[in-house]
Amino acid sequence: MSSEITLSVPVFLPTVTQADITRVLGEYCFIRLDNGDEAFFHNGNWITGADAASHEASIMGLAQRMARAGSKSLRCFDLPVPDDSDWSWDDIVTQLARSAVTRDVRGELTVTCSETTGYGRAVHVCSDPLLSGINSNLWFPLNPAEDWLAGIERVLTINGVAQNVVRLVPLRDCAECSDFKVIYNRKICA
């Protein structure tokens, strides 16, 4: 008869405080999971959510209006559903904050780029409560010498949305404009 001895090594995860969660989520935060579930947080505290399986209405509009009312940008995260079947939103934000202690957290948004003979080159940030403008028609002029990536990065960094832009993914291209998904880094300082 053989006996096996299994030694388990304890895994020490960094402690996550409410201040860590608030720093990562920002003042206003909207999280959508890949199953369609949604949550809205203010100052790191859960406000409300929508259960996609129950066909509850999206809370994205509420989150956008609240951030706009506070004159702040809305941080948005698209995340996978946790592997644990007993997950909670606390588990999700804790893991998000824990990962931010050691690395940059990436964000995504959509922009529309336009180049006209009368007005030159400009970029519009779509669906952002602060950078889209009060009537969702705010355009930022770009230097003709800048490529799209450099110009978009300048607009996002100067407005405090991004530390840097990682890449642009073309979404749609037509004669009047081009749409890009912008993938950017948000630097979280521990």
Side-chain angles (χ1 to χ4, degrees), residues 7-190:
L7 297 176
S8 63
V9 177
V11 176
F12 296 104
L13 298 173
T15 303
V16 174
T17 66
Q18 184 63 34
D20 295 328
I21 291 170
T22 303
R23 186 174 52 252
V24 172
L25 298 186
E27 210 166 324
Y28 297 91
C29 180
F30 172 80
I31 299 175
R32 179 179 292 129
L33 301 181
D34 56 10
N35 68 353
D37 287 355
E38 299 174 343
F40 173 53
F41 293 83
H42 179 253
N43 288 326
N45 297 300
W46 185 87
I47 300 299
T48 190
D51 181 9
S54 299
H55 304 292
E56 294 178 351
S58 175
I59 58 169
M60 174 62 121
L62 170 69
Q64 290 173 326
R65 289 188 303 278
M66 293 292 291
R68 186 174 299 214
S71 298
K72 302 291 182 179
S73 63
L74 177 66
R75 289 191 183 170
C76 297
F77 294 94
D78 287 312
L79 301 171
V81 175
D83 293 331
D84 183 0
S85 62
D86 293 329
W87 66 269
S88 70
W89 286 106
D90 285 339
D91 298 334
I92 291 172
V93 297
T94 298
Q95 183 57 38
L96 193 58
R98 186 171 284 129
S99 67
V101 172
T102 57
R103 64 177 172 85
D104 291 341
V105 175
R106 290 220 166 134
E108 295 179 357
L109 52 79
T110 302
V111 298
T112 299
C113 300
S114 178
E115 189 165 2
T116 62
T117 53
Y119 296 106
R121 295 163 45 94
V123 64
H124 169 70
V125 180
C126 304
S127 301
D128 184 273
L130 184 63
L131 297 182
S132 294
I134 194 84
N135 63 353
S136 295
N137 197 25
L138 179 62
W139 289 82
F140 295 92
L142 298 184
N143 183 331
E146 290 178 309
D147 62 16
W148 290 120
L149 189 135
I152 292 166
E153 182 174 66
R154 185 175 50 78
V155 168
L156 296 181
T157 56
I158 202 166
N159 285 288
V161 173
Q163 177 178 317
N164 67 321
V165 172
V166 176
R167 70 179 174 276
L168 300 179
V169 178
L171 297 175
R172 184 177 68 101
D173 194 20
C174 65
E176 298 85 29
C177 61
S178 299
D179 291 341
F180 294 98
K181 176 167 57 169
V182 180
I183 300 166
Y184 61 92
N185 284 325
R186 255 191 238 99
K187 183 65 176 176
I188 307 299
C189 302

